Amino acid sequence: MELPYHPNEELESVITNLLALVDDDPLREGLRDTPARVAKAWRHWCGGYRVDIAELMKVFEDGAEHYDQMVVRKDIPVYSHCEHHLAPIIGRCTIAYIPDGKVIGLSKLDRLADAFARRLQVQERLTSQIADALVEHLQPLGVGVWVSARHLCVESRGVQHTNSETITTALRGCIRERDAARAEFLALARS
Ligand SMILES: [Zn+2]
């Protein structure tokens, strides 16, 4: 799949120009195929812009429509890039919702997280977008999203050589408002 508005060759030439500016020998053998590889990698890393969220969130009719307890997917891998430095954000995500008649396949939660992660992001927005998509398309009683991630732009620069994690949460509906539901979700996410 192509990045919107940017043909392959255009992206490759941007990378060629970047190499000429950052490397002291940009014509060496090891960098020969780098522009094509990097262009391909960025099309993947930004592939989330092209995911149709409504299509992805199509409701799954399997007889579980009357299930009304918390559904939780824990430790979904998150690979994103920060929009300030284009540096990797690497982490994991726990997504929970309490259905109100509409349920989706569990793997869809992984794909939802991936669709928003594979964009240029800030962690707070990534977390909210996942929660808001579930609210919009499933109208559940409650949603909880918990993201824990490392930011290479923070860790690799300056004096902050740390592997500390940044945690963000987005709570909606009864998981936000009811103490017991909120505590249940946060305990599951942190465990
Ligand atoms: Zn950054």
Side-chain angles (χ1 to χ4, degrees):
M1 287 195 280
E2 303 300 317
L3 272 179
Y5 321 122
H6 299 287
N8 220 4
E9 314 80 64
E10 198 175 330
L11 190 51
E12 286 184 35
S13 82
V14 167
I15 302 303
T16 302
N17 292 340
L18 175 69
L19 292 177
L21 292 169
V22 299
D23 195 85
D24 60 1
D25 183 13
L27 299 179
R28 63 196 157 84
E29 177 64 19
L31 294 178
R32 200 186 57 184
D33 297 325
T34 296
R37 279 192 298 259
V38 173
K40 189 177 178 200
W42 274 105
R43 285 199 307 278
H44 176 77
W45 291 330
C46 286
Y49 292 113
R50 297 184 298 279
V51 175
D52 182 339
I53 301 296
E55 176 67 23
L56 178 62
M57 289 288 97
K58 268 195 179 159
V59 173
F60 190 52
E61 307 267 351
D62 76 335
E65 293 82 358
H66 303 297
Y67 186 81
D68 63 354
Q69 302 299 302
M70 197 177 287
V71 178
V72 185
R73 279 286 289 167
K74 254 184 81 68
D75 295 337
I76 299 167
V78 166
Y79 298 102
S80 190
H81 287 83
C82 84
E83 68 183 18
H84 303 128
H85 306 90
L86 309 187
I89 301 170
I90 300 171
R92 60 210 158 85
C93 171
T94 291
I95 302 176
Y97 72 101
I98 300 175
D100 186 18
K102 291 184 183 176
V103 293
I104 51 167
L106 295 176
S107 66
K108 295 275 185 85
L109 297 176
D110 299 49
R111 288 170 58 195
L112 181 66
D114 195 54
F116 288 115
R118 287 197 292 127
R119 302 176 186 207
L120 301 181
Q121 279 291 11
V122 295
Q123 186 176 327
E124 297 88 336
R125 186 174 63 228
L126 168 63
T127 311
S128 303
Q129 283 178 329
I130 296 167
D132 292 338
L134 284 164
V135 169
E136 182 183 348
H137 296 286
L138 292 188
Q139 294 94 37
L141 297 174
V143 169
V145 180
W146 185 95
V147 178
S148 173
R150 296 175 56 184
H151 292 247
L152 262 64
C153 61
V154 175
E155 294 187 24
S156 64
R157 301 180 317 133
V159 292
Q160 293 292 338
H161 291 139
T162 164
N163 63 354
S164 68
E165 301 203 318
T166 302
I167 292 170
T168 45
T169 56
L171 309 179
R172 305 286 185 265
C174 67
I175 294 181
R176 180 192 184 99
E177 286 143 22
R178 279 182 30 215
D179 291 347
R182 187 173 64 241
E184 180 186 353
F185 169 69
L186 292 174
L188 281 163
R190 288 180 183 130
S191 65

